[in-house]
Amino acid sequence: MRTTRSPRLAAILWGAAGFAGLWALWELAALGVANDAVLPGPRVVLWQFEQHAGGDRGLEFLGIEHSSYGINLAWTVGTAGLGWLLGSTLGVVAGLGAARRQWLRDVTEPVLFVFGAVPVLVVAPLLLVWLGTGPVGKLTLVTFFCFVVVAVVAQSAALNLPPAVEEYAATLGLDAPARFRAVVLPAAFPAIVAVLRLALATGIGLEASAELLGSRVGMGRLISLRAQQGNVGEVLSLSITLGLVAVLLDTAVRAAVAPVLRWQG
């Protein structure tokens, strides 16, 4: 098979082909069902999104503060992004610190693994009961999840570096801080980036799921209300919109760290 000269262009073309294939399968499935109340086609979903994206008085009557999809999307993504930033920063610091200090690892490792094994859907109702259904409870939930996941992976990535590598660096005259900056951190960085991307996408999903449990704003609340109305098309359009925004944010993160990971090829 002939290889392409532009891997990036090939990836874009394959991605477009996957999107076109999904669109075609969706259209065929909708034609087979022949009932927009059960499975509307993509063109029907797109039309419904265009009709209500700017606002819907019916949603405001049901208790939504702002019915514009843009405002609710910004609320959900903004809250999730802030929780991701706080939790991931604390997780990277705690994970790398535990990898460099045995006593700190002895203290944090059991706690992190215990909380990592607890299903988030179990933690979510508890936090919402203790902290309320306002933004604080949801922000705490996303921050907590990101902290635990990122800390565990950052610690494991730093510990996976063979001791001989750091010992060789020590023979070259590098002290502990210099070895951390020049050897440990670059070796752990690819795994940390991978878990940061995972935490971002999952954090957005967690924020929307928490809004399903109680909120007056946010994409999760809109999806809940549309589901109660039996409006499958709007549920699909809101869910797809949230997923597309997550993909765009993931692309932005990848682009931001690409210069640092250029050595990977």
Side-chain angles (χ1 to χ4, degrees):
M1 181 177 178
R2 186 177 180 181
T3 57
T4 177
R5 294 182 179 180
S6 177
R8 185 179 297 276
L9 177 60
I12 293 174
L13 292 176
W14 279 114
F19 180 78
L22 176 63
W23 183 287
L25 289 174
W26 186 1
E27 282 279 11
L28 290 174
L31 288 173
V33 174
N35 187 344
D36 288 344
V38 178
L39 181 60
R43 287 174 295 180
V44 175
V45 171
L46 185 60
W47 178 80
Q48 290 184 342
F49 181 83
E50 292 174 346
Q51 292 295 311
H52 300 125
D56 185 350
R57 296 295 300 273
L59 290 176
E60 295 174 6
F61 179 77
L62 294 174
I64 285 290
E65 290 184 356
H66 304 283
S67 60
S68 167
Y69 289 180
I71 293 176
N72 288 277
L73 181 63
W75 176 271
T76 299
V77 175
T79 305
L82 179 59
W84 171 76
L85 186 62
L86 293 174
S88 298
T89 302
L90 294 173
V92 170
V93 172
L96 294 179
R100 305 297 289 176
R101 295 288 183 270
Q102 182 64 49
W103 66 268
L104 183 58
R105 185 159 67 252
D106 292 339
V107 171
T108 60
E109 194 171 56
V111 177
L112 289 175
F113 277 97
V114 167
F115 280 116
V118 177
V120 177
L121 292 179
V122 174
V123 177
L126 288 176
L127 288 178
L128 295 180
V129 168
W130 291 338
L131 302 176
T133 57
V136 175
K138 300 176 181 65
L139 179 64
T140 304
L141 175 65
V142 177
T143 302
F144 170 78
F145 168 80
C146 292
F147 168 74
V148 172
V149 173
V150 173
V152 170
V153 174
Q155 176 183 313
S156 299
L159 290 175
N160 283 337
L161 181 68
V165 176
E166 194 168 349
E167 291 171 2
Y168 178 73
T171 63
L172 298 178
L174 275 68
D175 58 11
R179 294 197 302 273
F180 177 77
R181 292 192 301 270
V183 178
V184 177
L185 195 56
F189 194 64
I192 293 175
V193 170
V195 76
L196 288 177
R197 293 172 56 196
L198 173 65
L200 177 59
T202 309
I204 293 174
L206 276 179
E207 169 65 24
S209 299
E211 289 166 357
L212 291 172
L213 301 176
S215 178
R216 296 189 64 188
V217 66
M219 292 293 278
R221 183 57 178 162
L222 292 186
I223 292 172
S224 175
L225 291 176
R226 290 304 192 191
Q228 292 174 18
Q229 294 173 333
N231 193 331
V232 177
E234 291 288 355
V235 172
L236 286 172
S237 70
L238 293 169
S239 302
I240 292 172
T241 300
L242 199 57
L244 289 176
V245 171
V247 171
L248 291 176
L249 290 177
D250 179 71
T251 303
V253 172
R254 293 173 59 186
V257 302
V260 184
L261 296 177
R262 189 176 302 165
W263 58 271
Q264 285 189 310

